[in-house]
Amino acid sequence: MKNFSKLALLALFIASGAFVTSCSDDDKAAEPASLYAKLGGTTMVADPNNPGQMIEQGRLSYRSVVDSTITLIVSDIVVGAEGNLGEHFAPVISEALSGNATNVAILSDNLTDFFSANTGGGATNTYTGLNMVAAHDPAQNPRMGKKSNDAEYDKFIGYVGAAAGLNGVTDPVLIGEVVAVLESLRAPIVQE
């Protein structure tokens, strides 16, 4: 009987170890991939803007969408499209039209850094810019032309969606995650 108890105890111990291991594996499998990972993650690829250099695919995805968003906004400003965001970006656009694109590049880098760092980009992606309230308040950020209202922020989200589509991000679930990130920023950004 003692041998049976020892065997039963050993079997119970092995079974509980397998259960714990299987639960741990399930927990790991249940953890959703970050948005950064879904956009390509840390896989290194050739940087199309910098020949001979490599960039993380997730960062490249963000940079591509950010740059396309800026291009769409500027295009609407240039043609005078109704409801364009020209007032918001007036200081940066004015400089760019004068031949100084430095602040446009800084804007692109800051947005790419912000989204990469805050959606799972890990230690290789950091954001050191202003917090969202300060970044979107002209009194604290001279590169911002005016405070945003809800309609203008909705317009911005529309630009991001169009830019995502231009860059091959068309999966509705993935776009929904991007919109959720943007919506999580509405309160500090919309100040009017």
Side-chain angles (χ1 to χ4, degrees):
M1 193 64 144
K2 264 188 171 178
N3 283 344
F4 178 74
S5 295
K6 286 181 182 177
L7 285 175
L9 186 58
L10 181 60
L12 181 61
F13 179 73
I14 291 170
S16 67
F19 176 73
V20 168
T21 301
S22 108
C23 286
S24 295
D25 290 344
D26 288 346
D27 290 345
K28 288 178 185 172
E31 292 176 22
S34 69
L35 183 53
Y36 189 83
K38 290 176 184 178
L39 292 171
T42 58
T43 301
M44 298 302 286
V45 297
D47 185 343
N49 293 0
N50 300 297
Q53 293 184 19
M54 302 296 281
I55 186 171
E56 290 181 354
Q57 179 61 59
R59 184 172 183 80
L60 176 60
S61 295
Y62 274 121
R63 188 182 73 197
S64 298
V65 171
V66 163
D67 288 349
S68 293
T69 300
I70 292 169
T71 299
L72 291 171
I73 290 169
V74 170
S75 295
D76 272 0
I77 293 169
V78 169
V79 299
E82 187 175 334
N84 73 63
L85 301 179
E87 289 182 71
H88 297 278
F89 296 98
V92 175
I93 300 298
S94 174
E95 290 173 352
L97 293 174
S98 303
N100 179 359
T102 301
N103 281 332
V104 173
I106 290 169
L107 176 63
S108 174
D109 287 344
N110 279 344
L111 287 170
T112 301
D113 289 346
F114 180 83
F115 287 111
S116 295
N118 289 292
T119 60
T124 59
N125 293 283
T126 57
Y127 174 73
T128 58
L130 299 170
N131 67 53
M132 290 298 99
V133 171
H136 294 88
D137 180 359
Q140 298 178 65
N141 180 6
R143 291 178 20 223
M144 181 58 60
K146 83 177 260 318
K147 291 183 178 182
S148 294
N149 61 39
D150 278 317
E152 293 159 338
Y153 194 63
D154 289 342
K155 177 97 174 171
F156 175 76
I157 291 173
Y159 283 122
V160 173
L166 290 172
N167 287 281
V169 181
T170 58
D171 175 8
V173 173
L174 193 54
I175 290 172
E177 288 184 48
V178 171
V179 170
V181 169
L182 293 171
E183 284 297 337
S184 75
L185 299 169
R186 184 178 289 271
I189 291 174
V190 173
Q191 299 176 22
E192 184 176 278

